[in-house]
Amino acid sequence: MNTELTRLTAAELAAKIHSREVSAVEVARAHLDRIAAVDGGADQGVHAFLHVAADAALASATLVDEALGVGSAPASPLAGVPLALKDVFTTLDMPTTAGSRILEGWRPPYDATVTRRLRAAAITILGKTNMDEFAMGSSTEYSAYGPTRNPWDTSRVPGGSGGGSASALAAFEAPLAVGTDTGGSIRQPAAFTGTVGVKPTYGGVSRYGLIACASSLDQAGPCARTVLDAALLHEVIAGHDPLDSTSIDRPVPAVVDAARVGAAGDLSGIRIGIVRQLGGEGYQPGVQSCFDAALRMLEKLGAELIEVNCPHFEYGLAAYYLILPSEVSSNLARFDAMRYGLRVQSGFEESAEQVMAATREAGFGPEVKRRIMLGTYALSSGYYEAYYGQAQKVRTLISRDFAAAFEQADVLVSPTAPTTAFPIGDKVDDPLAMYLNDLATIPANLAGTAAMSVPSGLAEEGLPAGLQVMAPVMGEAVMYRVAAAFEAARDADQGGPVIHRVPESEVRA
Amino acid sequence: MNTAATRELMDYDEVVERFDPVLGLEVHVELNTRTKMFCGCSTKFGAEPNTQVCPTCLGLPGSLPVVNRMAVESVIRIGLALSCSIAPWCRFARKNYFYPDMPKNFQISQYDEPIAVHGWLDVTLDDGSTVRIEIERAHMEEDTGKSLHVGGTTGRIHGADYSLLDYNRAGVPLIEIVTKPIVGTGARAPIVARAYVTALRDLLRALGVSDVRMDQGSLRCDTNVSLMPRGVVTFGTRTETKNVNSLRSVERAVRFEMTRQAGVLAAGEKVIQETRHFDESSGSTSPGRRKETAEDYRYFPEPDLPPIAPSPEWVEQLRATLPELPWQRRQRIQREWSLSGEELRDLVNAGALDLVAATVEAGAPSGEARSWWVSYLAQQANARGVPLDELPITPAQLARVIELVASGELSNTLARQVVDGVLAGEGSPDDVVAARGLAVVSDDSALIAAVDSALAAQPDVAEKIRGGKIAAAGAIVGAVMKATRGQADAKRVRELVLERCTS
Ligand SMILES: [Zn+2]
């Protein structure tokens, strides 16, 4: 009974909870049991969670049951449904580390806007999920607290930086998760774990309380096992927030309706652009053939396929690795041991400067240091124009490529990542190889447009691959519609969701 | 200590004979907005340390800034009052450097896209001449927290045992107003510097945008000084002096740097480009910590804030809110009070203009108001060693005294006694009149008796008056005034004397 609950979608769970067929507490307990059974820790198991808030989760679920018990309407369509929250959002009642030693044990004095919206929707927050330190990485191996393992093959990475959230979904530890996507941190793990991950339009979801990686690129978004579940969560967390000056003051796109319309399976009249620059050489054959199969399926659904040219996408990675480290070098300057977090100090004879240096040396991991140094260099006087300035120009050109492509097509598609999940340890010492994994996801971050990954099938060694669907700014509705149509057709064609083929034996802790 | 720092100072007259000073003044103004630049915390001065803070002004992970619209309005109004152009589009930038009083280890400021550029301020010196100071820019930024360095001898971070940090000030809106290089002021450079800061302070006060309290740090000035030998047109190496916390210090700091740099240059050495620290007690400057490398602030556009694009309509609306500016007011007052240029200048120099204006506002004629403030009250202030505006008498109280004189209830002599009483803390003018029994004797029967007895006491004088020597009446009036201890109205006494001698 309990394991069955963990295999339901969020929409199904919500229906059962709201009809009082099962209680929110039962649902929460089932997931907490599942976490206890499979999550393990740094040395074994999935290790999706850095912190499990069992008591708080049960207390929150109890309130949902009590409210439903006295006949109140559910606080939201997802009231009582459990969720895993990436450890980059501040939470009053849980530690928030951003996967870094420098914030070990830090208890924020405030909730992120995303956290507040989840609480207001009466969603049960199970705990905080693992991530690459400060969201820098594509494998979750750069977490200071040990890697998260991919439920499809625990010797492999789940992608990153949001590997914890994606693995929690794939391991049936939670039906919903929230991630953040700076260059693919939601979409690439979704592809690696056979789950759905959405990077909304920049400004679509508030960044207030999201510990910044790169402010102009970071975007929080929903993660789930189905497109509809992602859409339900999208509508909970999205919307204007006066506390985030970059948040968009426009109505949230009606993505739930769009997902339902899409699931009916008709894409006639929809123009789908295949980005010439994203695919082919450098893409694993199995990933490419999943993508090709997806295209055939989209065509069968009535969509019109066209090829579009985005010539500047090839400079995206280079521009990204200048803009991101530049912003990181500034955003992470605040971790200086003066006010919170780690403090490394051998005595009282040391100056503030020495304490800052020692703390940052001990508290930051290698990838964070690498990017801080890159960014410090890129912003330094004499180099600014050649690096940061040029990168901003590339960014503008990429936005223009998108604008031109969206003249011809309603959405663009590509493989989400060039490979399937790679073995733990494979790329950790080769940052450039790691960076290449974000090739296809980065353009949407640079342009601030919307994009998502939906499972496209299984590639080499039975590992999942992802289909990326990209839409214009605030064009989430058509994106969800296409993704939902594809998901329904693929499930029908392949006899069920990709995620149902995740090997159960692999997730035993 | 390097040799340059201990070089002898050059005599000031020699300095200005041999060198032309170039000034640059950077003034930081804390706005008096109710809340901080990027969060909703109070800006109130003097609260318990670290009580006016929130995630944003503490720079906690995840926090984000939101621009205070009032602060933007204030800087636009400042820019307009300084005849600046208001940028149709501008951005914030991050200035990156590590310092414990800066919660994020970067300051949100403006760099190459400030909101106001290219203005000027006309500054009138004590001698009545006017110097136009060109304004380079005015931009918005956030203030830092405050460090209190405990232990050590200097109160500065180096040598301190430990430091305490108060972040109440962190994030208070700050406007930086930067002049273009000020050249050609010669020997007057120090007074020009002081006059500029004074004029700027008066302007900001008139705009109502800041408390402009140098002693509380709501107005702070950094003075940049360099020297070039007479006849040379390329600027010399400048120093920037910080911690200049009063108008007088502005003048002294500039003057000291001129004499110090001249001494260095005369010895054939080079002025080192550095930040220096002004010491109030000695009136000298000393070098800040020398950095091995030039500070690189790695400015880049603030990604957490969208650009600000003030519409022309908004700018014009704000222009319409500008009050009468100090120089416009001075011109109006000069006209309305029929003052000569010199009289106006004296009033301004005596620090009496506002007080006189307020007294006039309270109903007094400008002539009487002016005369009280620049003579009797100026003497009292002088005797007490306080500025005129710190005398414990309000313009309204003085206006009441003047009114009592005009209505004949007080003589001039009595009026001074009433003012003395107010200054002594005996209450309002009416309180003093009542308590001291100072009302003019206006009961004619009492006065007639006094006049008659004075006439009787000096029969020869009385005879002269009766004989038509009206001028002799003065002696009798004086006797009556003396007898009534000044409480009589001298004019009325004189009338009575003449009346009694002719009837
Ligand atoms: Zn605050």
Side-chain angles (χ1 to χ4, degrees):
Chain A
M1 168 71 189
N2 277 359
T3 41
E4 269 165 38
L5 281 180
T6 60
R7 297 188 79 86
L8 297 179
T9 67
E12 290 163 347
L13 285 171
K16 285 185 190 295
I17 294 166
H18 301 171
S19 68
R20 311 217 71 215
E21 189 185 327
V22 295
S23 71
V25 168
E26 280 174 273
V27 170
R29 195 160 277 140
H31 286 89
L32 291 168
D33 289 349
R34 175 74 180 167
I35 292 168
V38 305
D39 206 57
D43 302 328
Q44 44 129 30
V46 176
H47 194 223
F49 284 86
L50 293 179
H51 178 83
V52 178
D55 292 346
L58 291 170
S60 162
T62 303
L63 290 178
V64 170
D65 290 333
E66 283 171 4
L68 294 169
V70 297
S72 302
S76 78
L78 291 174
V81 178
L83 173 141
L85 185 60
K86 190 176 184 182
D87 201 23
V88 75
F89 295 96
T90 57
T91 41
L92 266 170
D93 55 350
M94 292 172 233
T96 302
T97 68
S100 181
R101 194 64 68 191
I102 213 160
L103 276 179
E104 189 165 11
W106 181 56
R107 294 256 171 182
Y110 75 111
D111 270 342
T113 296
V114 162
T115 311
R116 278 196 293 107
R117 290 192 175 171
L118 294 172
R119 294 194 203 280
I123 288 173
T124 305
I125 302 175
L126 296 169
K128 308 290 288 286
T129 55
N130 201 6
M131 57 185 285
D132 284 299
E133 183 175 6
F134 289 107
M136 288 179 232
S138 306
S139 69
T140 318
E141 290 166 285
Y142 291 127
S143 167
Y145 304 99
T148 295
R149 294 173 193 84
N150 191 327
W152 289 81
D153 174 351
T154 52
S155 72
R156 292 179 184 265
V157 304
S161 66
S165 287
S167 280
L169 298 172
F172 298 96
E173 294 172 284
L176 296 172
V178 182
T180 61
D181 191 311
T182 307
S185 287
I186 287 176
R187 290 163 287 161
Q188 183 252 20
F192 278 19
T193 57
T195 59
V196 175
V198 181
K199 182 204 98 71
T201 300
Y202 182 78
V205 178
S206 171
R207 291 187 298 115
Y208 188 75
L210 187 177
I211 299 179
C213 173
S215 312
S216 73
L217 301 162
D218 294 344
Q219 187 52 221
C223 308
R225 289 191 293 261
T226 70
V227 173
L228 177 63
D229 284 0
L232 288 164
L233 180 54
H234 191 121
E235 291 194 1
V236 167
I237 60 176
H240 180 244
D241 179 10
L243 297 177
D244 175 1
S245 307
T246 61
S247 103
I248 296 176
D249 192 2
R250 275 163 62 183
V252 178
V255 293
V256 173
D257 284 351
R260 292 206 164 106
V261 168
D266 181 15
L267 290 182
S268 47
I270 302 284
R271 300 164 303 161
I272 295 180
I274 305 153
V275 183
R276 187 183 299 159
Q277 283 75 9
L278 302 178
E281 207 189 326
Y283 287 74
Q284 213 171 285
V287 169
Q288 188 66 44
S289 58
C290 281
F291 179 63
D292 294 339
L295 293 179
R296 286 192 297 276
M297 196 158 282
L298 289 167
E299 204 163 26
K300 243 167 59 186
L301 291 168
E304 180 195 343
L305 297 190
I306 49 170
E307 191 172 271
V308 298
N309 195 22
C310 295
H312 300 98
F313 279 19
E314 64 174 296
Y315 306 111
L317 192 71
Y320 177 82
Y321 276 103
L322 289 168
I323 292 168
L324 176 137
S326 296
E327 294 184 9
V328 160
S329 71
S330 176
N331 281 336
L332 268 58
R334 72 192 65 198
F335 300 102
D336 63 359
M338 294 296 120
R339 292 160 297 277
Y340 46 80
L342 182 71
R343 173 176 288 185
V344 176
Q345 186 175 13
S346 57
F348 283 97
E349 299 306 307
E350 288 164 331
S351 69
E353 240 168 39
Q354 287 168 317
V355 171
M356 283 182 191
T359 302
R360 290 167 68 80
E361 166 60 27
F364 287 142
E367 183 61 19
V368 169
K369 285 179 189 161
R370 184 153 44 232
R371 297 200 196 185
I372 289 174
M373 285 187 280
L374 272 173
T376 303
Y377 185 76
L379 288 178
S380 56
S381 88
Y383 297 99
Y384 178 88
E385 263 315 311
Y387 294 135
Y388 191 81
Q390 285 295 104
Q392 289 294 0
K393 285 178 193 154
V394 169
R395 196 170 186 174
T396 304
L397 293 172
I398 286 174
S399 292
R400 286 187 194 154
D401 279 0
F402 267 118
F406 286 128
E407 299 257 302
Q408 306 166 55
D410 299 302
V411 295
L412 308 180
V413 291
S414 77
T416 306
T419 68
T420 51
F422 44 87
I424 291 173
D426 210 32
K427 298 187 180 179
V428 75
D429 294 322
D430 186 354
L432 287 180
M434 188 84 89
Y435 295 173
L436 281 171
N437 231 274
D438 297 330
L439 207 60
T441 44
I442 278 172
N445 296 89
L446 288 171
T449 47
M452 68 188 285
S453 179
V454 58
S456 59
L458 298 183
E460 286 89 348
E461 300 175 75
L463 293 170
L467 169 71
Q468 178 174 227
V469 185
M470 295 173 271
V473 164
M474 296 302 267
E476 276 91 339
V478 65
M479 180 177 84
Y480 272 94
R481 182 180 161 194
V482 170
F486 171 71
E487 177 186 60
R490 185 216 54 205
D491 289 358
D493 188 62
Q494 299 182 3
V498 171
I499 193 66
H500 285 178
R501 284 185 270 163
V502 64
E504 174 63 18
S505 59
E506 288 287 351
V507 296
R508 287 285 170 216
Chain B
M1 272 282 153
N2 59 48
T3 49
T6 52
R7 232 0 109 195
E8 269 188 31
L9 305 179
M10 186 183 284
D11 174 71
Y12 190 73
D13 291 337
E14 195 187 340
V15 175
V16 297
E17 211 167 276
R18 293 175 57 181
F19 297 97
D20 282 323
V22 179
L23 298 177
L25 299 165
E26 289 171 26
V27 171
H28 285 92
V29 189
E30 271 184 5
L31 296 180
N32 58 4
T33 50
R34 203 173 49 75
T35 57
K36 292 185 181 181
M37 187 73 218
F38 300 116
C39 65
C41 291
S42 169
T43 55
K44 208 162 177 289
F45 181 82
E48 281 292 303
N50 298 312
T51 54
Q52 294 172 172
V53 291
C54 73
T56 293
C57 58
L58 283 176
L60 293 187
S63 65
L64 292 172
V66 177
V67 175
N68 180 338
R69 188 185 164 93
M70 279 302 296
V72 179
E73 292 190 351
S74 293
V75 71
I76 292 176
R77 294 174 74 237
I78 292 169
L80 291 172
L82 289 170
S83 307
C84 288
S85 314
I86 304 304
W89 187 92
C90 70
R91 277 193 293 195
F92 287 97
R94 289 190 185 173
K95 181 179 183 179
N96 295 285
Y97 64 99
F98 283 83
Y99 202 80
D101 67 13
M102 213 165 45
K104 302 182 291 296
N105 285 318
F106 63 78
Q107 179 188 33
I108 305 178
S109 178
Q110 293 194 287
Y111 179 49
D112 51 358
E113 296 156 323
I115 191 161
V117 291
H118 305 315
W120 70 82
L121 181 61
D122 284 333
V123 172
T124 307
L125 305 184
D126 284 0
D127 65 5
S129 62
T130 298
V131 179
R132 172 160 292 190
I133 306 295
E134 305 269 354
I135 305 294
E136 174 82 38
R137 58 188 283 160
H139 74 243
M140 298 171 273
E141 57 188 34
E142 55 179 339
D143 211 341
T144 61
K146 258 187 204 162
S147 310
L148 178 66
H149 304 299
V150 183
T153 50
T154 58
R156 291 157 75 179
I157 191 165
H158 292 276
D161 294 333
Y162 60 94
S163 301
L164 298 172
L165 290 162
D166 175 7
Y167 292 106
N168 282 353
R169 199 182 68 175
V172 167
L174 210 55
I175 304 303
E176 181 174 335
I177 301 165
V178 184
T179 66
K180 291 184 179 164
I182 303 164
V183 295
T185 54
R188 298 189 305 173
I191 58 167
V192 167
R194 177 181 184 155
Y196 165 71
V197 179
T198 309
L200 189 57
R201 182 198 62 180
D202 293 348
L203 173 63
L204 296 165
R205 186 181 283 150
L207 289 170
V209 294
S210 169
D211 300 339
V212 288
R213 292 280 301 266
M214 287 190 91
D215 57 331
Q216 292 182 354
S218 56
L219 185 78
R220 311 197 279 271
C221 180
D222 300 338
T223 60
N224 289 270
V225 176
S226 69
L227 295 181
M228 46 189 183
R230 299 289 295 258
V232 170
V233 290
T234 45
F235 293 174
T237 304
R238 68 187 166 82
T239 59
E240 178 178 15
T241 303
K242 293 189 180 287
N243 194 40
V244 187
N245 294 333
S246 70
L247 294 171
R248 184 165 163 262
S249 298
V250 170
E251 183 177 339
R252 290 167 81 207
V254 169
R255 194 183 167 98
F256 180 85
E257 267 305 286
M258 286 170 67
T259 58
R260 186 190 71 81
Q261 291 184 15
V264 171
L265 294 171
E269 290 177 10
K270 284 184 173 154
V271 172
I272 298 161
Q273 181 165 351
E274 63 187 354
T275 298
R276 298 181 68 87
H277 191 85
F278 184 70
D279 181 62
E280 291 276 351
S281 55
S282 65
S284 66
T285 69
S286 59
R289 189 165 58 102
R290 184 95 17 87
K291 294 178 185 82
E292 283 99 59
T293 50
E295 191 83 71
D296 183 353
Y297 293 120
R298 292 174 285 118
Y299 282 101
F300 73 106
E302 167 57 88
D304 285 329
L305 292 171
I308 292 180
S311 69
E313 297 74 36
W314 190 31
V315 172
E316 287 318 304
Q317 276 170 24
L318 291 171
R319 192 192 301 279
T321 69
L322 293 185
E324 184 182 39
L325 299 175
W327 54 90
Q328 296 165 336
R329 175 163 174 262
R330 260 176 249 139
Q331 283 167 4
R332 177 181 56 79
I333 282 175
Q334 182 176 4
R335 201 173 55 240
E336 284 180 5
W337 298 355
S338 313
L339 301 180
S340 69
E342 201 171 335
E343 285 168 325
L344 177 71
R345 198 163 67 241
D346 288 347
L347 265 185
V348 173
N349 293 347
L353 188 68
D354 289 346
L355 295 166
V356 175
T359 311
V360 171
E361 190 93 326
S366 68
E368 275 84 345
R370 198 154 60 86
S371 138
W372 272 102
W373 284 110
V374 298
S375 55
Y376 188 70
L377 287 170
Q379 287 160 26
Q380 302 307 308
N382 216 15
R384 291 162 178 244
V386 296
L388 200 51
D389 61 359
E390 281 178 26
L391 278 180
I393 181 166
T394 64
Q397 288 171 333
L398 179 63
R400 173 65 180 151
V401 173
I402 292 169
E403 187 189 358
L404 290 171
V405 173
S407 68
E409 287 168 66
L410 286 181
S411 65
N412 281 331
T413 314
L414 284 182
R416 281 187 194 174
Q417 292 179 39
V418 173
V419 166
D420 289 343
V422 174
L423 292 175
E426 293 168 26
S428 71
D430 292 294
D431 293 340
V432 177
V433 167
R436 290 197 182 184
L438 294 180
V440 163
V441 178
S442 53
D443 174 358
D444 274 0
S445 62
L447 280 183
I448 288 168
V451 167
D452 286 348
S453 75
L455 287 170
Q458 300 182 69
D460 47 333
V461 179
E463 208 44 53
K464 279 182 188 163
I465 299 169
R466 286 192 188 102
K469 285 202 167 176
I470 290 169
I476 303 300
V477 174
V480 173
M481 292 307 288
K482 196 171 177 185
T484 57
R485 299 194 321 279
Q487 295 190 31
D489 175 356
K491 208 169 118 217
R492 180 71 189 135
V493 171
R494 187 175 179 83
E495 282 167 10
L496 287 174
V497 169
L498 296 178
E499 227 170 74
R500 302 303 284 176
C501 292
T502 52
S503 57

